[in-house]
Each structure stands twice: as structure tokens, then as C-alpha cells.
Amino acid sequence: DKDKLFKAFSQADSSITRKYGGSGLGLVICSLLLKLMNSEIKFESQYQKGSSFYFSILANCEPKPASLHCSKPANLKLLLIEDNPSVAKQFSSMITCCRDNIHSYRSDDKELFNYFYQNKPDCIFIDYDNKAEKAFNLIQQIRAHFQQDHLKLPKIVVLYRSGKKEILTDCITNMVDYCLEKPLRNQEVCAYLKNYETLNLEAFHDAKINHDTLLNTLSRNFYKILIVDDIPTNLSLIKNYLKMLLPGATLIERMNGQEAIDYLIANPDIHLVFMDIQMPVMDGITATSIIRTREMLNVPVIALTAGVLKEEKESCFEVGMDDFLNKPIDIDQLKAVLYKYLKLNQNDIPGEVSTEPEPVSVIRTQDNETLHFDKQDLLKKTGNNPLVLYELIQVVLEDFPGYVESLSDYVKQNDEDNIRKTAHAIKGAAANMSLKNLSELAKKIEFDIRNNTGQYKTLMEELLHEWALVGRLLKRIKS
């Protein structure tokens, strides 16, 4: 397997039942970057124990940022909650005017709340980037602590990395007082300290976003939706749909039922779960039955299934699933689910997803190619967004070869259980990606195994031929 490490799109385990995902490009990119810096990546590995990757580079040292003295209210007490020691050190050394009154704690430090009792800080800075949910949970605990003891609430400032578009909405939702963008600049921090009692989020976002538009869409940003599916193409498509319908919703991905349960136990505030049925490690039926044994997890669970069997749908309802969506996912059915289970108003979702004719710049497929790949159908699913279309095509080109190879291996081994599971996965993913012939052939293989008609090897040859044709077609369109 060491020979595979630095080959593009190569993975130690390419089977449909692999535990870990990824495209097989990470180490390749790291290696290329290090070559540009006249270095190389090295590694040590022990079977079933782990691997260590390391490198060395020559680099110039940046000069230490100059400290800045600034005027600020006397005896201002500051608290920084930061899990990264280097960031905490930089923050403290940056501002000499308050150095004696700056204290830093990790978010999980047991002494943190003791500090509140003894010092009652005027202003608290909290890092948003590493674990946003953890940061905002901590903010709520801080507010509850001060309110319980009838103390004056400190000003709460979130530190965030540039490019976080959702930061303002998150801060309004959690009643944060102000935001500072990283990398932190002395002038901006000192300007805030000088006016910390009067500066607020309105001043922060005036130049960044229209406040009225934000508040009108704020209700959509409260929704947290968990999507559970082991096929990246399926995840990509449903995420694209949800982004079109609920632009501000928080979307969380998990690859199997066990990961979903672990996440829900730690984060029971999820509003809606979309759960695939057939997945490795733990399937959706088993996962939902476990979720329903926990009273606090009464979240609606919607089955995602490429199956049409009455027995499968009955199994979904028996374990406590609330509804189901057939693959390929129909956007109108998805909207109906969102209306029903999120209690939305008509104005909360766009009335129509764009279905205007495609831009001239998008390459057209020939009419006789649509059975192999219906580009117009997939483009419509993306809201006529060519960039998303090409992203989905890239996901197909990266992931489908492994699925087809796994299915071919199982056919050679006459492994009927894995043939059925893998064919089912390909059937649903191909249907979602508008690969009609490929989906139909996978469906026939699944049917053959269920009914023991003995045609699956012949059908496998047809599927391999179809995938070769589809692969060439997709590469041509993408290029």
C-alpha cells in the first residue's frame, strides 16, 4: 500500500464499504507543495498502529508585531477564551495597554467559571473558528451565569476568520456584542477597547450586509439539518437542493448511522434528519430504531431510499421514521417535507427554483446521449448553476470508479449480499446524477440477485461498458 500513497485518486481501500471517504489527493497535493519549497514529505508507518508524516523547510522569520499603546477605560478587565496557545500569546502581546488585565483560558478549563466569580471581566473575547457550536454554547452559559447572580453582563466579542459569511447571523442569533476579524490588527482591537461600551453589531455590519435583508431571512438560519448518506454524490445533490431552498440553514454531513447517532447525542438540537437506508457500519433502519429509544431525540427522520419495495417502506415506518423520499430526489417532494416538518410559511422557501434555459456558455450534449447522461436534468437540479453542475460531475468522476470496481469484484467472487448492496448504492447515486442507463442496469442487477434469475454476470458486463461510455462523456463535458 505504500506505493499508493502518492498516486492521485488512490486509496488503501476503494470498496463501497470502506470506513473512510476522501478523494485520494491529500498526500499528492502535500508532496507537490513541498517540492515547490525544495523539500519532501517523509513518513514512518507501523501496521495497525499508525503512521507519522513529517517534513522540514527553510523559511524566513517574520518580525514580531509591534505593540500598540491605546487609550482605553481605566482598569478594564479582559478575558480571552482561546484553545490555541499561540493565538492566545499573540493576542496578549499585541496590546500592551491592557496586558496586566488580560487573562487567557481554554474553553474546557475547569477554572474558567471560578475566574468569573472572582474577577467579573468587563469584556470577553471568544474564538469562533475552531468549534463554532461549542463557542456559542459557552456564550449561553456565561450569560446564564451572570444573570443568575444579577451581575452586569460583560461585553462578548467573537474572533472569526475572514470569509465566514455566516458569522453575522450567528452572532445576532446568540446575542453577541461585537466581532473582530482575524488576523487581528492592533488598531482595530484598540479602537474597539476605546469604544467598547458603545460599539455593537450594527456598527460592525453596516458596511458588510443589509441589516433588514438579514433579519428577514434570519428565521431560516435557525434550522440545523443532518444528512446521513455514505455516497458523496448523494450528499452533494441534497446539500445543493437545501442550499437553494434554505440558504441560511446549517447542514451537517455524516457517512453512516453510527456517526449520526454519535452526533445527535452530542447535539440534540437538530431540527430534521435525512437518513439513507443502506449504509456501511450501521444502516439507517438500525440507526433510527436506536434514536427512537432516546426520549430526548424526537427529531423528525426522513428516509432516503432508492428502493420501491413495500416491505422496505413499512420497515421505515415501523422503526419510527416519519417520512421518506425516493431517489432520484424530487425537489417538489423535498419542499413538501420541509414545509411539513419545519413548520415553514410559504415565504420561507423560494416559490420556484430557477428552471430557465441554460446559459449559452454551458456545453450541450447530443440528444442521443441523454440516456447515458441527461445534462439538462442535472442542470435543473442545481438551479441552473453551471459551477455546481461541474462540481457534481467531478464528484462522479472521483467516486464512481471505486463503486463500479467494487461491484465487479463482488460479481467475480459471487458475493451476492455485497452485489445487492453495491448495486443498490449505484442505482440511487446514478439516478440522482441523471445517469439513467447506469441506474437502470444497477437496478436490474439488484433485482436479479433478489430473484435469483442468474443474469447478473451478463448485466455486469453491460454496466462496465455503460460506465466506460459515461466516464468518457463526463470528462468531455467537463473539459
Side-chain angles (χ1 to χ4, degrees), residues 119-317:
N119 296 275
K120 302 177 181 61
D122 300 292
C123 188
I124 301 175
F125 296 87
I126 299 181
D127 192 350
Y128 167 90
D129 289 330
N130 292 332
K131 295 181 180 178
E133 293 178 23
K134 184 177 179 181
F136 288 126
N137 286 336
L138 184 58
I139 288 171
Q140 299 306 322
Q141 293 177 41
I142 291 170
R143 289 192 174 279
H145 161 73
F146 277 84
Q147 290 169 344
Q148 179 180 344
D149 292 345
H150 305 288
L151 300 173
K152 179 184 176 182
L153 288 171
K155 297 292 183 179
I156 295 179
V157 180
V158 160
L159 310 178
Y160 74 101
R161 188 170 59 250
S162 176
K164 295 276 186 178
K165 296 181 180 179
E166 70 275 17
I167 180 66
L168 186 58
T169 302
D170 285 348
C171 286
I172 291 176
T173 304
N174 289 276
M175 297 182 290
V176 169
D177 295 290
Y178 202 70
C179 303
L180 287 172
E181 184 176 279
K182 296 191 294 186
L184 297 172
R185 297 169 180 84
N186 294 351
Q187 293 88 340
E188 293 178 2
V189 175
C190 287
Y192 172 74
L193 294 175
K194 183 179 179 180
N195 303 283
Y196 86 102
E197 290 188 313
T198 57
L199 284 177
N200 54 34
L201 282 178
E202 189 170 348
F204 168 76
H205 74 63
D206 270 348
K208 294 178 179 288
I209 194 167
N210 181 289
H211 187 52
D212 292 335
T213 301
L214 175 72
L215 293 179
N216 287 338
T217 60
L218 187 57
S219 62
R220 296 184 227 168
N221 292 275
F222 284 105
Y223 296 118
K224 295 173 65 176
I225 299 174
L226 176 62
I227 311 164
V228 190
D229 200 310
D230 63 309
I231 307 296
T233 48
N234 295 340
L235 285 171
S236 297
L237 186 63
I238 192 168
K239 277 175 58 184
N240 182 66
Y241 273 160
L242 290 170
K243 286 177 181 177
M244 288 192 293
L245 298 174
L246 294 174
T250 300
L251 306 179
I252 300 98
E253 303 173 32
R254 290 297 181 267
M255 300 292 285
N256 60 63
Q258 184 60 61
E259 290 183 5
I261 291 171
D262 293 343
Y263 184 86
L264 284 168
I265 290 173
N267 305 273
D269 57 338
I270 290 291
H271 296 94
L272 189 61
V273 176
F274 291 97
M275 181 82 73
D276 189 29
I277 299 301
Q278 296 192 23
M279 296 178 288
V281 183
M282 182 183 290
D283 62 76
I285 297 290
T286 304
T288 304
S289 65
I290 294 173
I291 289 170
R292 291 306 181 221
T293 62
R294 295 178 173 267
E295 293 184 3
M296 67 177 185
L297 299 180
N298 58 355
V299 57
V301 178
I302 312 300
L304 301 175
T305 174
V308 294
L309 296 177
K310 180 181 178 182
E311 293 81 3
E312 186 174 80
K313 293 180 179 179
E314 289 177 349
S315 297
C316 292
F317 291 123

Side-chain angles (χ1 to χ4, degrees), residues 333-380:
Q333 292 180 2
L334 177 59
K335 286 168 69 173
V337 165
L338 296 177
Y339 281 126
K340 181 176 180 180
Y341 294 100
L342 296 182
K343 313 297 183 187
L344 298 178
N345 297 317
Q346 290 292 325
N347 293 332
D348 289 328
I349 290 182
E352 293 293 337
V353 174
S354 173
T355 56
E356 293 298 317
E358 63 177 283
V360 175
S361 59
V362 177
I363 301 171
R364 296 182 179 277
T365 54
Q366 299 297 320
D367 289 341
N368 61 357
E369 293 176 345
T370 57
L371 289 176
H372 305 291
F373 172 52
D374 192 338
K375 182 178 66 62
Q376 299 300 324
D377 184 55
L378 185 58
L379 186 63
K380 181 179 177 181

Side-chain angles (χ1 to χ4, degrees), residues 80 84-94 104:
L80 173 65
N84 187 326
S86 61
V87 174
K89 183 177 180 180
Q90 179 197 20
F91 184 86
S92 299
S93 64
M94 178 185 290
S104 174

